[in-house]
Amino acid sequence: MAEVVQLPVAGGLSVRASGDAFLDAQPNPNTARAYATAVGKIAEHVGETRPLAAVADDEVGQALEREWGGAAVNTWNARRAAVLSWLSWCRERGYAAPEVPAWAKRLTPPDSTTPVRSKTSVDRLIARREVDVREKTLYRMLYETAARSEELLGLNVEELDFVRRRAPVRAKGAATRRRGSAAREDAVREWVYWDAGTARLLPRLLKGRTRGPVFTTRRRPAPGKVVGERDVCPDTGMARLSYGQARALLDHHTALAGPGTGWDLHEFRHSALTHLGRTPGVNLLLLMAKSRHRKADSLRMYFHPTGEDIAALTAHLAPGDTRR
């Protein structure tokens, strides 16, 4: 059953009150945090104590333009989408609210500037002797699954399906769904698949461990540090490897011009999808299934059909048997 949020009505619904109610209604705390910046800034620009119904559409557009008009395209689109969701949420509940004006358009994202690493360079990095088996496994798994780094770092050993070479990860931006009174975690799970490279490295990394985080630190948590039960290996006492630690390790192994100049963890996913998009026989829908993107537009940068691919496709439209 959908959550019912009681909005304040005394003296009219204010900009700040509507924004707070909208953020409180978000089932996913990560989504609420992402939206909070945009909602808070627009509320400041148009006046937090003003009645929401008194705010004009153009005021919302002007506030967006003042705050993020010079920002990157993706930042503009994300902030605009958050404000759009907030105001639409209010109108759906029967409250008068402005709209994002038509002239404050969503911008077309530019092609990604993330570097594409060749398969050879990925193999060479993983083969280096000074790279620990933990990092070797993480890098190979990131490349073969084309998964997001946070998804793999969040895995526990008991979740790994070694036979089918797959593991369930939480869908990006998903919240636990409910049917009646029962939460359905399975409804927000997606599968990621790896291949032989990862399959060979996992046993070396785990050394017989059957539970706890797949990727752990080399030290126990410091005294007084609060760590969730799921984020500590019950057998070794080691904590889960964080995104920041993994990123620093990758930078250490790949930086050529000083700290901060090395690869980024996202480059494994970006490179894998680029390589798959250039592979004969891989179509856009199959690439979407692998990447788990929800919109085809997000994948167009990876998909580059050649003239030969289009000619082969066109041959299916030829009359009769084209072999005669």
Side-chain angles (χ1 to χ4, degrees), residues 282-297:
V282 176
N283 59 48
L284 187 58
L285 291 178
L286 192 57
L287 198 61
M288 284 183 69
K290 176 67 174 176
S291 69
R292 295 167 292 115
H293 280 96
R294 293 195 175 99
K295 296 181 179 179
D297 284 347

Side-chain angles (χ1 to χ4, degrees), residues 117 121-122 125 247 250-251 254-255 261-265 267-268:
R117 305 297 175 179
S121 64
V122 172
L125 169 64
R247 185 177 182 179
L250 178 59
D251 184 69
T254 57
T261 63
W263 296 14
D264 188 81
L265 290 168
E267 292 177 28
F268 290 104

